[in-house]
Amino acid sequence: MKIIISPAKKMNIDTDTLAPEGMPVFLKETEQLLEWMRRLSFAEAKALWKCNDKIAEQNYKRFQEMDLRRNLTPAVIAYEGIQYQYMAPAVFGGAETDYIREHLRILSGFYGVLRPFDGVVPYRLEMQAKASDAGDLYRFWGEKLYREITDKDAVILNLASKEYSRCIEKYLQSEDVFLTVTFGELIDGKVKQKGTFAKMARGEMVRYLAEHQVEEPAGIKGFDRLGYHFAEELSTEKEYVFLK
């Protein structure tokens, strides 16, 4: 079973807590994207990122000075988003660390697919960014990400946002099991998912799976953190729904 999650926009450099264990599998493709990003003007980059001047200046400088092989941070602690805060991988024990090393994969517009302890540098490039030279990033990556995720695994647990899960979902084969987890509230008879709460729950779910060494989809149903419980009546073989 492979667990897929989204990256986070906010990243940090931490070369002390944990050492990287390897390089990203698609580093050559990342180098191509880096060269393309360096050719953009500041105005073009800012338009691509859809952010304010301060964030654009920081990331434009990052790309101009970027070295993909030095001062690396393990991916799982490089991202600082809400999901990663609730996962809290820096305080995992040995068994939990082994579990995410085996099962967890991070999807990225810049790196493609990352194993938790692949060494990365801070960047800003979302999968849905409209890239010119590289074309649409979904086309740039094509089915490579799907092939990497499903290597020897036919079960994919989807904890990623739609922006990233579509990179995999588009190429699914009949033998694949693609199980999406939805965290929401029942409002007027419909399941409503709120972004911040969903991100918190996704992080807690990864931690739960690691702590319980879950290997099969059935083991997911016991998740009961942050006030959520498994809603059997609303769930299907392709979607597990958890309600507050």
Side-chain angles (χ1 to χ4, degrees):
M1 182 173 74
K2 285 292 187 295
I3 305 161
I4 58 172
I5 63 175
S6 304
K9 289 181 182 178
K10 191 175 180 181
M11 298 182 71
N12 72 90
I13 298 172
D14 181 348
T15 57
D16 298 321
T17 303
L18 294 171
E21 295 181 356
M23 300 296 287
V25 65
F26 294 119
L27 196 59
K28 288 184 178 179
E29 287 82 354
T30 301
E31 288 172 339
Q32 293 175 36
L33 290 174
L34 174 57
E35 288 306 309
W36 168 69
M37 288 297 298
R38 282 176 170 164
R39 291 196 296 270
L40 297 181
S41 67
F42 176 77
E44 290 170 331
K46 183 185 175 185
L48 183 74
W49 293 323
K50 298 178 181 178
C51 62
N52 61 39
D53 283 345
K54 183 178 179 180
I55 293 174
E57 287 167 3
Q58 178 192 46
N59 284 280
Y60 191 75
K61 183 178 180 182
R62 277 176 172 172
F63 275 109
Q64 298 305 315
E65 299 176 351
M66 189 173 289
D67 185 335
L68 297 172
R69 291 174 173 78
R70 296 184 63 191
N71 297 320
L72 305 179
T73 302
V76 76
I77 63 171
Y79 295 108
E80 286 192 323
I82 294 171
Q83 177 173 349
Y84 292 85
Q85 294 171 24
Y86 276 77
M87 191 194 314
V91 295
F92 274 162
E96 291 84 2
T97 297
D98 289 341
Y99 180 89
I100 64 169
R101 182 184 290 113
E102 172 75 18
H103 296 284
L104 186 66
R105 297 294 181 267
I106 303 166
L107 303 178
S108 163
F110 189 52
Y111 282 105
V113 174
L114 290 165
R115 294 161 297 196
F117 302 103
D118 284 347
V120 301
V121 295
Y123 68 91
R124 188 182 180 96
L125 186 63
E126 297 177 55
M127 187 65 76
Q128 62 188 1
K130 300 300 181 183
S132 54
D133 288 14
D136 182 283
L137 287 179
Y138 293 107
R139 290 198 299 272
F140 175 82
W141 288 111
E143 64 178 24
K144 289 179 180 178
L145 310 191
Y146 164 77
R147 295 296 177 193
E148 178 65 20
I149 293 293
T150 55
D151 182 34
K152 301 178 183 177
D153 278 284
V155 178
I156 303 168
L157 178 61
N158 175 29
L159 293 176
S161 65
K162 291 182 180 179
E163 175 188 352
Y164 287 91
S165 63
R166 64 179 282 198
C167 305
I168 307 299
E169 205 164 3
K170 180 179 178 180
Y171 301 100
L172 292 172
Q173 304 297 306
S174 58
E175 65 270 19
D176 296 323
V177 176
F178 190 79
L179 177 59
T180 296
V181 178
T182 298
F183 298 99
E185 299 175 35
L186 201 58
I187 301 174
D188 296 330
K190 295 183 179 181
V191 177
K192 302 290 185 179
Q193 186 167 245
K194 297 179 180 178
T196 299
F197 291 133
K199 291 175 183 177
M200 292 162 58
R202 287 166 182 161
E204 282 283 0
M205 173 65 85
V206 174
R207 171 165 280 277
Y208 174 88
L209 298 174
E211 290 176 351
H212 290 78
Q213 301 287 295
V214 174
E215 297 287 344
E216 300 293 337
I220 301 165
K221 297 179 180 180
F223 178 80
D224 59 356
R225 299 180 179 179
L226 301 179
Y228 287 98
H229 66 276
F230 180 64
E232 184 86 49
E233 70 282 3
L234 297 173
S235 300
T236 66
E237 291 182 356
K238 294 184 178 180
E239 181 184 23
Y240 280 6
V241 177
F242 289 82
L243 295 178
K244 266 187 175 295

